[in-house]
């Protein structure tokens, strides 16, 4: 009989080895008293039983020892794969998993531009073209000072699985820059976008790679990027970017899609797994950007009361329910700070430090700001406050120990690659409309989005059941997303 040793990994270790449980880092801005909950504030523990997967993970870490966010995403995925790899010897024989965790192409480039005072600035631009087995590369661009290769590789990697779950023909990619649009004038943002696209245009195209927005890249940036693409290439190829304005090939509902889709999937999860809904529930949403704003709108329409939102400085609490018109005026109207809300809406409060938002009791938690915003300690507080369901609007907002805490406590948990797939799904619908040179109505796109999100939920729910882990939607999403891409890679040969 063959016996494989069980390798245990704790998520921050650089190389595989014997288990050490680590305490989660103390999070800045999170009240010390909030950590009173016991149990989940320990480091996450992963066990890879399969020798092949152990080797793949070792190689991933050894090759790029500093890419912690990427290791985190790969390890969570490999742990799911561990459940089924024994039934698929062909994946090891054909080297599918080591190929899958290595990007097809990584492009880095400099982005020189001139600020309003005439100073020369140089940022770094990236595009990680991760996997194009099932369609052209597809994934957003992020402009934020924290952008680096580790973050873009984790995002591109998750994007492969997410795009596969939508059932639309899209490969996975991600890109962006360490440029910070915050505090820049429109002209500075335009000059930066033009310089960024002057290089990026060599690597993209409607049948090659189709970028979209992400943190720091909204309608304004996509407009400038598309304008420069058109100028440099001398062609009106609307299908090269998604998230465009309606007058130049954009799709209705694309702006709302990630937040709406998050709520559609959450509603289906509540209905199937708890015979429940948003109706009458208290909802906390972190962030106040594109995803958070439209999640707030849909959660409210579905009967929930959203009582808190945040930005990177702090959070607002409005027990009678957030007035979204005020938030839209602050965030979309003049790119202000969420703090203004408390000055304008009587009965609401503002608190410095964005992580404290999770001390507010809620039935449904929708983290929609950024990666790793909820650690084990914060998860303990959310659980202790009686939360029913957590669904990730942001990419990887929950650390592994937080996910384990939710799952142990029986809190429904929907992972980002399923829960926030509505954005890219609607980008896929935008690409279809661009190909047809036809625009669907708002209702038509919204209906298709709802169908896609409902189907994603049922596919991952069924996949988890078939793996013998009913209710484990992390496992279900990883396996359902992977199998389609892996089998396509097998069909196409070693490339
Ligand atoms: P936006 O730039 O519109 O908004 C981001 C929000 O999160 C802002 O409120 C921002 O606050 C806050 N935020 C950003 N970085 C941090 C940080 N390091 N710490 C605390 N708060 C932070 O981005 P989106 O709403 O588009 O994206 C939010 C998340 O959703 C990201 O994880 C993104 O990858 C994911 N996502 C987005 C999709 C989309 O269609 N837009 C699709 C799928 C996933 P501040 O203004 O102070 O920076």
């Amino acid at each position: 009989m063959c016996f494989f040793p069980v390798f245990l990994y704790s998520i921050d270790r650089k190389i595989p080895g014997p288990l050490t449980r680590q305490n989660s880092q103390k999070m800045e801005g999170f009240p010390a008293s909030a950590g009173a909950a016991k149990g989940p504030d320990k480091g996450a523990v992963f066990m890879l039983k399969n020798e092949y997967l152990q080797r793949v993970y070792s190689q991933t870490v050894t090759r790029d020892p500093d890419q912690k966010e990427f290791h985190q995403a790969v390890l969570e995925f490999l742990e799911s794969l561990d459940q089924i790899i024994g039934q698929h010897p062909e994946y090891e024989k054909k080297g599918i998993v080591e190929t899958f965790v290595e990007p097809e192409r990584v492009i880095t480039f400099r982005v020189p531009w001139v600020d309003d005072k005439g100073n020369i600035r140089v940022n770094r631009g990236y595009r990680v073209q991760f996997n194009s087995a099932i369609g052209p590369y597809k994934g957003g661009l992020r402009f934020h000072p924290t952008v680096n290769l580790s973050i873009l590789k984790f995002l591109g990697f998750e994007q492969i699985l997410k795009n596969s779950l939508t059932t639309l023909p899209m490969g996975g990619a991600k890109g962006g820059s360490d440029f910070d649009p915050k505090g820049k004038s429109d002209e500075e943002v335009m000059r930066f976008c033009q310089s960024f696209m002057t290089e990026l245009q060599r690597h993209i195209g409607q049948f090659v790679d189709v970028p979209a927005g992400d943190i720091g890249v909204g309608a304004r940036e996509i407009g400038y990027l598309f304008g420069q693409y058109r100028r440099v290439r001398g062609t009106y190829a609307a299908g090269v970017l998604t998230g465009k304005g309606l007058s130049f090939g954009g799709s209705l509902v694309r702006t709302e899609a990630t937040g709406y889709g998050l709520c559609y999937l959450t509603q289906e999860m509540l209905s199937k797994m708890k015979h429940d809904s948003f109706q009458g529930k208290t909802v906390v949403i972190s962030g106040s950007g594109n995803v958070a704003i439209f999640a707030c709108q849909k959660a409210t329409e579905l009967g929930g009361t959203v009582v808190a939102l945040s930005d990177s400085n702090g959070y607002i609490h409005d027990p009678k329910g957030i007035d979204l018109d005020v938030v839209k005026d602050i965030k979309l109207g003049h790119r202000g700070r969420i703090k203004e809300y408390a000055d304008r809406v009587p009965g609401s409060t503002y608190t410095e430090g964005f992580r404290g938002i999770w001390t507010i009791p809620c039935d449904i938690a929708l983290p929609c700001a950024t990666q790793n915003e909820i650690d084990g300690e914060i998860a303990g507080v959310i659980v202790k406050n009686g939360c029913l369901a957590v669904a990730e609007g942001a990419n990887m907002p929950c650390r592994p120990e937080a996910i384990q805490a939710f799952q142990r406590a029986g809190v429904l948990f929907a992972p980002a690659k399923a829960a926030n797939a509505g954005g890219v799904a609607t980008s896929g619908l935008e690409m279809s409309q661009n190909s047809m040179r036809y625009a669907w109505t708002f209702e038509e796109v919204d209906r298709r989005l709802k169908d896609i999100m409902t189907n994603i939920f049922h596919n991952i729910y069924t996949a988890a059941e078939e793996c013998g882990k009913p209710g484990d939607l992390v496992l279900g999403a990883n396996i359902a997303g992977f199998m389609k891409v892996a089998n396509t890679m097998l069909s196409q040969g070693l490339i």
Side-chain angles (χ1 to χ4, degrees):
M1 195 173 84
C2 187
F3 174 75
F4 291 132
V6 174
F7 271 52
L8 301 170
Y9 303 87
S10 72
I11 196 71
D12 281 345
R13 286 186 70 84
K14 292 212 164 152
I15 48 166
L19 165 75
T20 51
R21 269 180 175 270
Q22 88 262 0
N23 291 319
S24 62
Q25 298 141 339
K26 262 267 178 285
M27 295 288 196
E28 205 185 317
F30 192 63
S33 61
K38 290 221 166 66
D41 60 337
K42 300 278 187 359
V45 177
F46 288 88
M47 293 187 291
L48 291 178
K49 294 191 273 306
N50 183 276
E51 243 184 14
Y52 168 49
L53 298 184
Q54 290 168 10
R55 281 200 309 276
V56 171
Y57 184 63
S58 288
Q59 182 174 312
T60 304
V61 175
T62 308
R63 268 197 177 145
D64 298 297
D66 296 327
Q67 296 183 354
K68 282 191 182 162
E69 291 85 1
F70 180 54
H71 304 161
Q72 183 180 334
V74 169
L75 186 51
E76 181 214 278
F77 160 74
L78 292 179
E79 205 209 16
S80 295
L81 203 55
D82 212 23
Q83 314 279 325
I84 57 141
I85 193 79
Q87 298 148 38
H88 293 278
E90 69 277 16
Y91 292 159
E92 179 172 0
K93 192 163 167 233
K94 300 288 183 183
I96 291 295
V97 185
E98 58 268 49
T99 311
F100 190 75
V101 299
E102 188 65 24
E104 288 178 19
R105 192 171 300 100
V106 175
I107 300 151
T108 64
F109 51 96
R110 72 173 178 228
V111 188
W113 57 283
V114 180
D115 69 19
D116 285 346
K117 296 195 174 104
N119 300 314
I120 290 170
R121 307 277 200 104
V122 181
N123 284 96
R124 187 170 285 175
Y126 304 88
R127 188 69 180 164
V128 177
Q129 297 180 329
F130 222 120
N131 191 302
S132 59
I134 63 169
Y137 307 106
K138 180 90 194 88
L141 296 171
R142 178 176 290 193
F143 291 169
H144 195 271
T146 57
V147 162
N148 59 39
L149 208 44
S150 174
I151 287 179
L152 294 180
K153 279 178 69 180
F154 115 66
L155 289 165
F157 181 73
E158 298 246 310
Q159 196 80 45
I160 309 168
L161 299 160
K162 182 185 312 192
N163 292 1
S164 165
L165 287 174
T166 66
T167 72
L168 300 173
M170 301 181 289
K174 202 82 188 186
S177 173
D178 55 4
F179 172 77
D180 188 357
K182 230 183 280 169
K184 304 286 190 304
S185 69
D186 278 355
E187 289 68 30
E188 288 177 322
V189 170
M190 181 182 73
R191 286 195 290 275
F192 174 82
C193 288
Q194 290 178 340
S195 181
F196 184 85
M197 183 51 91
T198 302
E199 173 61 31
L200 187 70
Q201 55 87 21
R202 302 166 195 271
H203 311 288
I204 61 176
Q206 64 173 327
F207 300 116
V208 181
D209 183 353
V210 184
D214 190 73
I215 291 179
V217 179
R220 173 182 63 171
E221 289 75 14
I222 292 289
Y224 293 147
L225 290 165
F226 182 72
Q228 183 70 354
Y229 183 85
R230 192 167 68 71
R231 172 163 76 173
V232 173
R233 299 298 286 250
T235 171
Y236 207 103
V240 72
L241 287 170
T242 59
K244 298 180 295 295
L246 293 179
S247 59
F248 52 101
S251 173
L252 288 161
V253 195
R254 176 59 189 90
T255 307
E256 296 85 353
T258 309
Y260 277 22
L262 172 68
C263 293
Y264 291 146
L265 187 133
T266 306
Q267 178 88 335
E268 196 63 22
M269 173 172 78
L270 285 164
S271 163
K272 173 85 182 170
M273 297 173 75
K274 292 257 193 224
H275 305 293
D276 212 330
S277 73
F278 269 95
Q279 193 64 46
K281 301 294 184 301
T282 300
V283 184
V284 168
I285 301 178
S286 62
S288 50
N290 171 269
V291 180
I293 285 175
F294 292 103
C296 180
Q297 184 164 313
K298 187 52 73 178
T300 308
E301 275 174 33
L302 292 170
T305 304
V306 180
V307 296
L309 289 175
S310 59
D311 63 20
S312 55
N313 295 114
Y315 66 94
I316 51 164
H317 183 199
D318 190 345
K320 63 188 180 313
I322 296 287
D323 182 338
L324 200 56
D325 288 341
V326 176
V327 175
K328 282 184 179 173
D329 185 49
I330 296 168
K331 287 290 172 184
L332 308 179
H334 60 275
R335 298 177 192 272
R337 309 306 300 160
I338 202 70
K339 187 176 193 294
E340 275 181 48
Y341 183 94
D343 300 332
R344 288 171 56 172
V345 180
S348 67
T349 55
Y350 171 78
T351 310
E352 283 289 328
F354 69 92
R355 285 195 174 89
I357 192 173
W358 299 115
T359 59
I360 299 170
C362 65
D363 303 308
I364 299 170
L366 303 176
C368 294
T370 194
Q371 65 272 357
N372 289 331
E373 54 173 297
I374 298 182
D375 66 355
E377 184 181 357
I378 300 176
V381 175
I382 294 173
V383 169
K384 204 172 100 188
N385 284 338
C387 183
L388 284 176
V390 178
E392 295 185 316
N395 282 308
M396 209 166 75
C398 299
R399 288 188 54 83
E401 63 271 21
I403 298 173
Q404 290 184 353
F406 294 137
Q407 291 181 327
R408 268 201 305 269
V411 175
L412 302 184
F413 180 78
K417 54 180 77 78
N420 72 21
V424 74
T426 309
S427 280
L429 300 178
E430 183 174 331
M431 290 161 76
S432 305
Q433 294 169 83
N434 292 154
S435 296
M436 292 188 294
R437 297 176 184 280
Y438 185 76
W440 289 321
T441 61
F442 189 97
E443 291 70 28
E444 173 70 14
V445 181
D446 193 34
R447 184 187 61 72
R448 287 173 188 264
L449 169 65
K450 196 171 181 184
D451 284 352
I452 290 171
M453 297 313 294
T454 305
N455 286 338
I456 290 176
F457 170 76
H458 288 284
N459 288 342
I460 65 174
Y461 181 84
T462 305
E465 267 190 340
E466 286 173 359
C467 292
K469 292 268 180 90
D472 185 344
L473 302 181
V474 174
L475 176 73
N478 282 328
I479 298 304
F482 174 70
M483 296 291 276
K484 178 175 165 192
V485 181
N487 294 336
T488 307
M489 288 168 72
L490 282 172
S491 312
Q492 293 179 0
L494 185 61
I495 50 172

